[in-house]
Structures are given as structure tokens and as C-alpha cells.
Amino acid sequence: METIFDWLKKKKIACHDRKRMMEAFTHSSYVNEHKKQTHDNERLEFMGDAVLQVWSSEKLFKLEPELSEGKMTTLRAQLVCEEALAEYSRKLKLGRFLRLGIGEEKTGGRNRDSILADMFEAFLGALYLDQGMAAVDIILEEVLTPMITSPKSELVIDYKTRLQEYVQSDTRKNVHYELVKMSGPSNQPTFDVIVLLDDIILGKGSGQSKKRAEQMAAKDAFEKMVK
């Protein structure tokens, strides 16, 4: 069975402090059930958040053509939001290394956006403390840079805001979202959402989180309305 250290070796990244790296993948629920494990990944998450902010800020600052301060702020917020970080974790398949308590595992924690996002930040924190920014750069170039360079990326475009702005350009009414169905296993559910204006369905969307489903419903509606 592949370990995080095997995975890092394939990326040509060394790891000197293995204990700290394991902490990055240790959820508080695991610590609660294993008293010999004294630390979860919350402190490393704090460090990783700072590293991520600096890395993404520098990347956006150096873009050509230059972006305004407001545009950089908005884009950075979208690139480092919980949903985006969870998606980076999924693309790298880091969730398999996560250490969870039995209860959290049974309730689908291994695929929960909040847990995956926190783990990703903790991983970056551990990586930075162990190897510096060069190792962090290897990881973020793989998953975050494509989101910056692809202007049509669904992770970066906030379709809910775009749809609301488009609707309010013609009317002062607000759209609203309704969850119509949740299917699949508890550890990997699929959410089906509709977006409505008054009682009219403007669009439909599905996703592995309610937020993602709402974004996809907004995308469906927005693209129909601007044709």
C-alpha cells in the first residue's frame, strides 16, 4: 500500500520530518480515538494557509497582463476557498492518506470538503517547514496554476454571483436554490440542486457537495440566459 512518503518520492520531494508529515494527515477525530497520537493537523493547517496565501499572491501579482488589486483579491479568494482546496486534494488523491476516527470515517469524512481542504493546507504547512517553498511550488504548480491560467475553469468562476448580477440587471429580484435530491453512498453523496426565480426553474446542477451543485445550477442558468 502506497504511503505519503512513496507518493512524495515519485514527485522527487524528500521528507526529513516524517512525524510532522503524518500529523498533516491526522484529523482530530483520529487523535480522540488514539491517545498515543498527541497532535492533529490544526497547527499545520495554520501554517499552510499562510504559505498558500503568499504563493498565490505572488503568482497573481506576476501575471501578464497585470491584474488590478481588486481582481487579484477576488481571484485569490476563489483559488483558496474551501471547495477549491478540496478539489486540489481530490486531484492529487491525497485523501487516501488521511487518518480519521472510526465515526468520522463512517459518516463520509474522507470525502468532506472541509476536512480535505484543512488537510491540504496542513500538508502544505508540513511541506514548507520540511523543504521550503521549492517543494510547495512543485505541488501548487500542478493543481493551482492550471486554475489561474484557465479563465474558464469552473473552480475559479463564481457562477452564482454572475447569475445574480445578470438577473438584477433586469429585475431587483433574487434567485434562490433548492436541494431536490441527494443520492449515492454516505461517504460520496451526489447533490442535485435547482435554481429558481420566483417559481420558474432557471437551471439544474449536480455535485459532490451542495455548494458545487449550486454553482453548477447557476452555470446552467447563466449560460442559457446569455445565449
Side-chain angles (χ1 to χ4, degrees):
M1 183 177 177
E2 187 179 37
T3 67
I4 180 59
F5 307 108
D6 297 326
W7 186 87
L8 287 169
K9 189 175 181 180
K10 290 179 181 178
K11 300 284 184 185
K12 294 182 170 56
I13 299 174
C15 181
H16 298 132
D17 193 336
R18 292 194 165 208
K19 182 179 178 181
R20 177 181 284 156
M21 185 59 68
M22 289 303 295
E23 283 181 9
F25 292 89
T26 303
H27 188 254
S28 57
S29 62
Y30 184 91
V31 175
N32 292 336
E33 295 179 12
H34 298 78
K35 300 307 178 184
K36 289 184 179 180
Q37 178 69 37
T38 56
H39 293 97
D40 58 32
N41 61 10
E42 290 180 0
R43 279 171 51 82
L44 287 171
E45 177 195 341
F46 170 83
M47 177 59 72
D49 175 70
V51 170
L52 185 60
Q53 292 288 335
V54 170
W55 191 95
S56 57
S57 296
E58 182 178 359
K59 196 75 175 179
L60 292 171
F61 188 83
K62 291 180 177 179
L63 279 182
E64 295 290 345
E66 293 182 354
L67 301 178
S68 68
E69 185 272 341
K71 182 66 175 177
M72 285 192 293
T73 299
T74 299
L75 189 53
R76 183 181 62 188
Q78 294 169 354
L79 289 167
V80 302
C81 70
E82 179 181 285
E83 188 177 10
L85 299 183
E87 190 62 25
Y88 305 151
S89 289
R90 292 188 181 101
K91 286 188 176 182
L92 294 170
K93 299 180 180 179
L94 292 175
R96 58 201 162 122
F97 305 126
L98 182 61
R99 297 197 291 182
L100 290 171
I102 295 173
E104 195 67 57
E105 184 79 70
K106 288 182 177 179
T107 56
R110 193 170 297 275
N111 197 47
R112 190 168 297 133
D113 278 3
S114 59
I115 291 178
L116 289 175
D118 291 348
M119 179 198 69
F120 186 73
E121 287 185 326
F123 169 55
L124 294 181
L127 202 57
Y128 174 76
L129 291 172
D130 193 79
Q131 295 290 315
M133 196 61 90
V136 171
D137 192 61
I138 292 173
I139 301 302
L140 294 183
E141 282 287 355
E142 181 176 343
V143 291
L144 204 148
T145 296
M147 298 300 104
I148 297 174
T149 56
S150 176
K152 294 184 179 180
S153 168
E154 291 171 354
L155 276 178
V156 175
I157 298 174
D158 183 357
Y159 282 104
K160 289 180 69 175
T161 299
R162 285 196 175 188
L163 176 63
Q164 186 61 55
E165 290 175 347
Y166 186 84
V167 169
Q168 290 196 332
S169 67
D170 188 53
T171 174
R172 292 187 178 182
K173 295 180 179 179
N174 293 319
V175 299
H176 66 280
Y177 298 82
E178 288 185 10
L179 177 65
V180 294
K181 184 182 178 183
M182 188 172 73
S183 58
S186 61
N187 64 341
Q188 198 169 6
T190 297
F191 298 85
D192 294 322
V193 167
I194 57 174
V195 56
L196 305 100
L197 180 62
D198 294 328
D199 293 323
I200 301 172
I201 297 176
L202 300 180
K204 302 176 181 179
S206 299
Q208 291 187 326
S209 71
K210 190 176 178 182
K211 288 182 180 180
R212 170 52 52 190
E214 289 177 351
Q215 282 287 346
M216 298 310 294
K219 177 178 184 288
D220 181 45
F222 180 77
E223 292 181 343
K224 288 175 181 175
M225 296 178 76
V226 298
K227 280 184 178 180

